[in-house]
């Protein structure tokens, strides 16, 4: 299995993963640990919020994005996340949503300082079962390059 | 308690929260659920990674940022997160780190479409006990404005 190196991804390539079912229990449990605002943990308070119901924390959305990134085939040989930009949530994530990830390569380049690595910049979308975007960002990831073939003995 | 409205924050204001102790168990537990890459869940594999040891997932870092945002005083009357930009992790988060949040207002403006709300843009830093930045981003949050005083009967 030699796929998932920088060389295996071209600009414009799209890869998908999912679905990820977001249960009400998981929304509340995650938010109780990291983001216990009423509209993430309390159904009645959530009904009175601008969202008119329970919604997942942005931290939960980001975590689901990272989870699904690990499921993309071929698995990216990621060495480190370098940064994330333009993170937006055009629609809320709600209990029962089934989320799909789409990752499209925007740019790839070889690292100057580490010639065995390169950088992939990708446009990320998480969409729900109604094909509404619930999370998007641009990710920059340090990826391993394919090792050169060994000289035969 | 009438604090935490848009009117209570001025450009340049800094607010702090923390520390948040990041245990090895929490790093591994979080990563097993959302980001089970070897360098987040397996100490031996992590020792061989570019980080030379266990590090917290970016999703975990983002979640700790959101957690500490909830602890800032006065509590921001946040209605919704609008977006996050320029997320970077100049240094890794490691077991035993104690993280402090600093949030500084970059810009505030009233919403045109919703006059009872406004938007705060803030520069966020999470720093460890050695004062190294381990997470940074720019957050944009929809915040409630202070209601006008009621006319006396």
């Amino acid at each position: 299995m030699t796929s998932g190196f920088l060389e295996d991804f071209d600009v414009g390539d799209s890869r998908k993963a999912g679905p990820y079912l977001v249960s009400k229990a998981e929304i509340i449990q995650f938010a109780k640990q990291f983001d216990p605002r009423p509209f993430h943990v309390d159904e009645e308070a959530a009904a009175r919020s601008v969202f008119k119901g329970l919604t997942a924390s942005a931290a939960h959305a980001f975590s689901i994005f990272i989870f699904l990134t690990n499921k993309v085939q071929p698995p990216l040989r990621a060495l480190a996340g370098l940064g994330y930009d333009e993170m937006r949530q055009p629609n809320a994530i709600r209990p029962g949503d089934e989320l799909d990830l789409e990752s499209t390569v925007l740019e790839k380049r070889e690292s100057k300082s580490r010639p065995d690595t390169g950088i992939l910049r990708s446009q990320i979308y998480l969409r729900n079962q109604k094909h509404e975007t619930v999370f998007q960002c641009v990710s920059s990831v340090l990826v391993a390059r394919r090792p050169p073939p060994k000289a035969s003995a």
Side-chain angles (χ1 to χ4, degrees), chain A residues 142-153:
Chain A
L142 189 70
V143 179
R145 295 186 64 189
R146 177 172 287 114
K150 287 176 187 162
S152 47

Side-chain angles (χ1 to χ4, degrees), chain A residues 45-61:
Chain A
R48 295 191 300 271
S49 76
V50 296
F51 298 111
K52 316 271 189 220
L54 273 184
T55 61
S57 166
H60 196 180

Side-chain angles (χ1 to χ4, degrees), chain A residues 48-123:
Chain A
R48 295 191 300 271
S49 76
V50 296
F51 298 111
K52 316 271 189 220
L54 273 184
T55 61
S57 166
H60 196 180
F62 189 84
S63 300
I64 293 168
F65 143 56
I66 293 291
F67 177 84
L68 286 175
T69 297
N70 281 284
K71 299 291 186 188
V72 168
Q73 294 298 327
L76 192 64
R77 290 175 185 260
L79 300 170
L82 297 178
Y84 302 91
D85 290 278
E86 301 168 37
M87 191 188 308
R88 299 291 181 270
Q89 294 191 260
N91 294 280
I93 297 174
R94 298 178 184 279
D97 275 0
E98 295 184 21
L99 307 185
D100 285 301
L101 174 85
E102 184 178 34
S103 172
T104 304
V105 178
L106 297 174
E107 181 187 355
K108 84 169 185 179
R109 58 191 168 84
E110 298 164 9
S111 168
K112 282 163 194 154
S113 55
R114 293 196 47 181
D116 55 340
T117 69
I119 293 154
L120 272 188
R121 251 183 16 108
S122 303
Q123 176 69 56

Side-chain angles (χ1 to χ4, degrees), chain A residues 5-19:
Chain A
F5 292 107
L6 185 73
E7 288 78 1
D8 298 312
F9 298 85
D10 288 316
V11 171
D13 281 359
S14 277
R15 284 174 170 78
K16 298 188 179 188

